[in-house]
Amino acid sequence: MQTQRTDVGTVEDLHASATRLTGLDDFGDRDYLDGLSVLLSAYRQEACLTPTGSKITRQMVRSALVSRLLSEAAWRQYPADTPISRPIFVTGLPRTGTTALHRLLAADPGHQGLELWLTEVPQPRPPRETWDDHPVYAMLRDAYRQHDEFTGVHHMGPDQVEECWRLLCQSMTSVSFECTAYIPTYSGWLAGQDWTAAYRRHRRNLQLIGLNSPGQRWVLKNPSHLFALDALLAVYPDAVVIQTHRSPRASIASVCSLNARAAAGWSTVFAGAVVGRAQLELWSRGVRAFDAARARHPADRFIDVAYEDFVADPLRTVAGIYERLGTPLTAEARAAMTAVHAAGGSPTHRYSLADFGLTPAEVDRAFPG
């Protein structure tokens, strides 16, 4: 009888598994291998994964390799020089309204966002009416329907626009790995990396996915852009960055709760105060890095949004963003956003800093600004 594996795997067997799943073996440039090696070592030596956690984490890492294979194959088939003009990047601490704002902006018919399923299987975006017939889309649709507990905190679906960190995972350059496991060695390695190559790959994937929508403006969202603003603007020199702001006390408590629930049962150490300390260090470092980098770039590249203002009147906030962009907010766009806002819910999510061994004073010291 086959025994249940209790590790994430090796570089070699993960590559072999991804190749078996896809029939492809060209992973492209080898610049991701250092990150993959450090990540797997951290999982093995530090994460204390359970059998369930090992299985799910292995699937996550392998999924990034599968997506990498699919991107490489698609780039050989399709041109990857689709223009990307003045993309909008929404960032800020997690749980500061970035998701709701992103989905409103992406509802504009003149915009395009990155649907979750296309981060898994990068390809030119097919016509919407064909998605249900795609096996990967159908699999993801059914999986998310079965995970109401997690999506009650952060609503997700394969057809919804989502964060673009999955594209960065193809380069093994993403704080997403740190958000579901205790892996300080990888955290330290990533903190010292230049993300420019990862963003170049990110851009090539957007050019591929948006091949059939060349006239639509990209709207992306990812809190991890906090860590790599210089790299982002080096690759997207005409980008506009929207930064959301909320009390760190609230956002840190919320992101700790979100990540702990997402990874519940995956590890014997990633819980409680371990989550609290790791997430406080991670996101305070991200804000410090972003603030330092932002000071090096022209102020007109940035738009600030207060969480309280956005919650009080989302459409008025969006109208203010369009004014800053110098872009008319059409009646069609406003109607689409109104419909998205009306359909959105407010999931019940209870949390406190004390659940994760943190105090308000500690959070205040970590975010002195």
Side-chain angles (χ1 to χ4, degrees), residues 119-314:
T119 67
E120 300 281 353
V121 284
Q123 61 185 289
R125 186 183 293 106
R128 178 62 183 85
E129 62 271 17
T130 68
W131 292 6
D132 284 325
D133 296 327
H134 194 288
V136 174
Y137 176 83
M139 178 187 68
L140 290 170
R141 178 198 61 208
D142 295 342
Y144 282 115
R145 284 175 178 170
Q146 295 173 10
H147 287 78
D148 290 340
E149 180 179 359
F150 178 51
T151 55
V153 178
H154 176 74
H155 292 302
M156 299 174 69
D159 59 334
Q160 290 183 318
V161 294
E162 261 297 333
E163 296 178 353
C164 51
W165 56 262
R166 289 175 177 82
L167 298 183
L168 296 172
C169 285
Q170 288 191 18
S171 301
M172 299 298 153
T173 306
S174 173
V175 299
S176 65
F177 300 117
E178 303 173 59
C179 290
T180 54
Y182 179 66
I183 44 175
T185 299
Y186 176 81
S187 303
W189 173 86
L190 184 59
Q193 298 305 302
D194 179 351
W195 294 34
T196 305
Y199 275 98
R200 291 196 188 105
R201 188 175 186 91
H202 180 284
R203 184 184 182 103
R204 289 189 70 194
N205 272 298
L206 293 187
Q207 289 176 311
L208 170 69
I209 294 167
L211 182 65
N212 297 327
S213 309
Q216 292 180 299
R217 185 179 194 174
W218 275 102
V219 182
L220 290 308
K221 171 253 181 173
N222 190 347
S224 77
H225 296 315
L226 291 173
F227 297 83
L229 180 62
D230 285 334
L232 186 158
L233 292 177
V235 175
Y236 298 97
D238 59 347
V240 176
V241 179
I242 300 174
Q243 183 181 7
T244 56
H245 301 269
R246 185 187 185 188
S247 163
R249 292 184 181 185
S251 59
I252 292 300
S254 185
V255 75
C256 286
S257 177
L258 173 70
N259 292 342
R261 289 180 65 174
W266 296 7
S267 166
T268 59
V269 299
F270 192 73
V274 171
V275 173
R277 300 295 169 186
Q279 296 303 299
L280 181 62
E281 192 283 328
L282 174 67
W283 293 108
S284 61
R285 173 163 49 85
V287 169
R288 291 194 301 272
F290 185 87
D291 288 347
R294 177 170 172 169
R296 296 190 287 269
H297 298 279
D300 62 3
R301 306 293 299 281
F302 301 90
I303 299 173
D304 294 293
V305 171
Y307 175 82
E308 293 77 12
D309 293 342
F310 177 64
V311 170
D313 196 334

Side-chain angles (χ1 to χ4, degrees), residues 90 97-104 154-155 161-163 221:
V90 178
T98 55
T99 296
L101 177 58
H102 178 220
R103 289 176 180 172
L104 285 184
H154 176 74
H155 292 302
V161 294
E162 261 297 333
E163 296 178 353
K221 171 253 181 173

Side-chain angles (χ1 to χ4, degrees), residues 256 271-277 280 352-360 362-363:
C256 286
V274 171
V275 173
R277 300 295 169 186
L280 181 62
S352 73
L353 288 171
D355 294 337
F356 304 97
L358 299 174
T359 67
E362 287 176 298
V363 176

